[in-house]
Amino acid sequence: MEDNSLECGLTISNMSHELFNDALYYKEQSESFTDFFIQWRYKRSAIISFCASAEAWMSSLIKCNLKDKTISPREQEVLDFINDHNANMPTGYSNVRKKLYNFIPAAITGSTINWNNNSNEIFERYIDLSNMRNNIVHYATRNGSVIRNNEFSELLDQAAQIIEDLFNEYDILGSKIETPSWFKERNSKEI
């Protein structure tokens, strides 16, 4: 008898979820070692992964909220960049503050938020987290004391909640997609 079966597999991935889970894993690993250098290796990786997870979700927020809308040339430029990393990056898009206050709210509501007149504590906490990540990724000798101080560890301890709060804030603004349940996870798991 001939076997006509075809072996195949399907992997569904959500990079934002995987990076968030990685961040939880690295944070847990940092807590399981006493050696300073091993702890800091995992702490650095956790902060980077938390922010990468959030930024991947930010792109999803923008893309999903602009879908099926009549969009401006500027919004089209943002979508083109989200869909193709070889496209030109829109002016200001690499600035986290502008992304949080301008690009994402504009995609959701059609309006930006003026951070000078209407500063948002939740956005500002994520900016603190992102700035700490930047101290690692764009490391300079002067950043050494910054990434080894108590604020770094405190931000890492709060990172998951900071990110969840950020995306809940966009739900309140009326985002078409809700904060996914996995942003509520506080322990890593096999995925």
Side-chain angles (χ1 to χ4, degrees):
M1 182 169 172
E2 188 176 333
D3 181 10
N4 289 327
S5 64
L6 175 66
E7 288 188 39
C8 67
L10 175 66
T11 302
I12 299 172
S13 71
N14 176 322
M15 189 55 66
S16 186
H17 182 195
E18 290 182 30
L19 287 164
F20 193 82
N21 190 61
D22 289 347
L24 293 171
Y25 173 80
Y26 295 138
K27 182 178 179 291
E28 291 163 4
Q29 290 302 303
S30 77
E31 295 164 351
S32 68
F33 288 93
T34 57
D35 182 271
F36 173 83
F37 296 103
I38 295 174
Q39 282 181 341
W40 283 98
R41 168 188 278 172
Y42 284 118
K43 286 181 178 186
R44 289 188 310 263
S45 295
I47 290 275
I48 292 167
S49 293
F50 273 126
C51 290
S53 169
E55 292 184 25
W57 192 253
M58 287 177 202
S59 292
S60 296
L61 273 174
I62 292 169
K63 186 176 179 177
C64 290
N65 281 282
L66 290 178
K67 186 179 175 184
D68 303 325
K69 280 186 179 179
T70 302
I71 59 175
S72 70
R74 175 114 167 115
E75 290 168 326
Q76 186 60 56
E77 185 182 15
V78 171
L79 279 178
D80 291 345
F81 181 72
I82 289 171
N83 290 320
D84 179 6
H85 70 279
N86 290 316
N88 291 327
M89 181 182 289
T91 303
Y93 193 75
S94 64
N95 181 297
V96 172
R97 182 177 306 281
K98 289 180 181 178
K99 200 178 290 186
L100 299 181
Y101 283 95
N102 296 346
F103 288 97
I104 298 171
I108 296 170
T109 68
S111 300
T112 63
I113 299 171
N114 182 328
W115 60 77
N116 292 316
N117 298 332
N118 197 11
S119 180
N120 182 308
E121 183 181 337
I122 292 169
F123 292 179
E124 294 301 320
R125 288 299 292 154
Y126 181 77
I127 291 167
D128 290 343
L129 183 66
S130 179
N131 286 340
M132 191 61 75
R133 184 272 323 259
N134 289 343
N135 285 322
I136 297 165
V137 174
H138 307 292
Y139 185 78
T141 306
R142 62 177 160 54
N143 296 353
S145 61
V146 174
I147 64 170
R148 291 184 183 86
N149 68 24
N150 287 339
E151 182 186 6
F152 183 95
S153 294
E154 289 169 10
L155 279 170
L156 177 57
D157 288 341
Q158 299 166 14
Q161 190 63 52
I162 289 169
I163 292 168
E164 182 182 341
D165 291 345
L166 175 67
F167 291 111
N168 284 335
E169 193 72 7
Y170 291 123
D171 280 347
I172 293 167
L173 281 178
S175 177
K176 287 183 180 179
I177 54 176
E178 295 179 3
T179 302
S181 61
W182 46 266
F183 272 121
K184 296 182 184 319
E185 295 170 4
R186 296 299 181 260
N187 296 304
S188 69
K189 59 183 173 184
E190 294 288 324
I191 56 173

